Amino acid sequence: MVGSETRYQAFLKALGKDHLRRELTPVDPSGARSLQVGGKAYVNLASNDYLALRFHEALIARSAEWAGRYGTGSGASRLVTGNLDFFEPIEVKVAQLKQKPAALLMASGFQANAAVLQALFDRSVLGAEPLVFADRLNHASMHFGCKAASVHQIRYRHGDAAHLTDLVTQFQEDSRPKFILTESVFSMDGDVAPMDEIAALARTQNATLIVDDAHATGILGEGGRGLSDGADIVIGTFSKALGSFGAYVACAPTVRDYLINRCSGFIYSTALPPPVLGAIDAALDLVQGMDEARTHVANMAARFRFGAKGIGFETGASATQIVPLIAGTADAALGLSAKLREAGFWATAIRPPTVPQMTARVRLAFTAAHNDADIDRLLEVLSECAVSNTAKAVLS
Ligand SMILES: Cc1ncc(COP(=O)(O)O)c(C=O)c1O
């Protein structure tokens, strides 16, 4: 073992001791509702496929058709020979869904946040290090983008528009470019940022509002357009409610042009492959007409939250299809996840550093493939699980 490896091994050992070591589990999806692990079937409560589109026949058909017609890869970056002729029509559809003037496709949600933020915060272009106000619980990829741009984030308390206002007004006279960075729906809590207040503040303070709409696009907002109406720049992904992979930035045409010229993650990365683009294109054709599925998911999540709270579980400020069962310690979250698995539900324990210390949880995500009987059975199983006193103590 070379020197560095012994260090990695020691790191892994320490994680294991704290119940924080992560492992990959091979799964066999048997449709949008369930999966099999080691030959046993589970109801899948750990997928972000909120509209159950990843097994939709239209997505599969267009994906296969485009693979046959255009090949399995794009062959190059879009600035070389990878700009196949359907990219721009897809971007028009994205811009229309998001109600923004333009859009640009990116490789993945993580890559988009990492690369786009780095480019947008470029001090050599802005003339100074920008002032970046960021929600404390923003996704790891947003932190990554800020770090890549070497900007110091001014963090405000999670979802706290008043705190954000205080911080921004302290810099009112500062002429450096200001940005506000938030998710619309937070991935681990399922709560919604105060978008209207944040957007109004951004307008009055001349700050650029950048919103990661990953967990709202497709499933929330009118026609599934998400919750980013007040944003200047929206970053989102096709890997969640839209059922496939890849990401987008929806923005002004100038910002799109700037990214084409300055965003290294766009310039130096091979364009998305045609089968993925086929699935994206088909999902964009379907999504606005899926109100019934959206209502079904919202109703199930609301009924589940009501039931779970009634039997003593802590679901935080969840108001969407994402519902955490906050257990406290990593050990408690792992124990709850194991109990659910015994009962045939696949739900993942989420531990620090993904969530703050002592708020380890089991994250549940409801999708259009679930049904009311799944919710009833889930609540029945939970009523047999002991409620974590640690979580109650931490959150009270
Ligand atoms: C808020 C948020 N942004 C970005 C991402 C990354 O998206 P992708 O899975 O497409 O890389 C995720 C998903 O993990 C997310 O939850």
Side-chain angles (χ1 to χ4, degrees), residues 33-51:
R33 178 177 165 272
S34 56
L35 51 75
Q36 298 217 358
V37 178
K40 182 177 170 184
Y42 297 86
V43 175
N44 186 359
L45 294 170
S47 158
N48 300 316
D49 178 24
Y50 305 127
L51 290 173

Side-chain angles (χ1 to χ4, degrees), residues 48 107-111 113 139 141-142 183 185-188 212-215 236-240 245-247 363:
N48 300 316
S108 76
F110 191 103
Q111 194 254 15
N113 275 329
H139 193 257
S141 53
M142 297 169 97
E183 292 176 41
V185 171
F186 284 82
S187 58
M188 295 300 141
D212 181 333
D213 217 14
H215 294 278
T237 171
F238 299 110
S239 63
K240 307 199 190 294
F245 189 72
R363 175 191 185 269

Side-chain angles (χ1 to χ4, degrees), residues 66-250:
W66 287 24
R69 230 161 86 198
Y70 303 104
T72 52
S74 292
S77 151
R78 282 178 69 186
L79 285 163
V80 184
T81 56
N83 192 34
L84 308 179
D85 60 11
F86 44 75
F87 269 94
E88 261 112 298
I90 293 177
E91 287 170 341
V92 169
K93 287 184 190 179
V94 174
Q96 193 247 328
L97 175 69
K98 304 302 295 179
Q99 309 248 299
K100 300 291 175 213
L104 184 69
L105 298 186
M106 297 290 298
S108 76
F110 191 103
Q111 194 254 15
N113 275 329
V116 169
L117 296 181
Q118 182 194 25
L120 293 176
F121 299 157
D122 188 330
R123 71 189 69 192
S124 71
V125 175
L126 296 173
E129 178 179 337
L131 294 163
V132 177
F133 301 89
D135 189 291
R136 288 183 70 84
L137 295 190
N138 277 345
H139 193 257
S141 53
M142 297 169 97
H143 295 305
F144 197 94
C146 293
K147 228 170 147 179
S150 297
V151 297
H152 165 72
Q153 296 178 65
I154 303 165
R155 305 268 191 96
Y156 60 91
R157 285 192 292 272
H158 173 57
D160 189 338
H163 189 217
L164 171 62
T165 306
D166 273 357
L167 293 173
V168 177
T169 46
Q170 281 174 33
F171 291 90
Q172 203 156 8
E173 303 305 324
D174 198 311
S175 64
R176 285 175 286 178
K178 298 185 184 75
F179 292 87
I180 298 173
L181 205 53
T182 184
E183 292 176 41
S184 52
V185 171
F186 284 82
S187 58
M188 295 300 141
D189 292 84
D191 57 340
V192 181
M195 294 306 301
D196 290 344
E197 284 165 85
I198 295 176
L201 176 70
R203 270 196 308 277
T204 55
Q205 296 292 328
N206 194 26
T208 303
L209 175 57
I210 305 178
V211 173
D212 181 333
D213 217 14
H215 294 278
T217 302
I219 186 74
L220 296 170
E222 205 182 316
R225 72 173 185 245
L227 299 176
S228 50
D229 284 2
D232 300 294
I233 299 172
V234 186
I235 297 175
T237 171
F238 299 110
S239 63
K240 307 199 190 294
L242 291 161
S244 60
F245 189 72
Y248 61 85
V249 185

Side-chain angles (χ1 to χ4, degrees), residues 281-300:
D281 191 61
L284 289 168
D285 287 346
L286 289 169
V287 68
Q288 292 181 65
M290 296 188 75
D291 280 348
E292 207 176 308
R294 283 186 276 274
T295 305
H296 172 61
V297 174
N299 288 345
M300 272 188 311

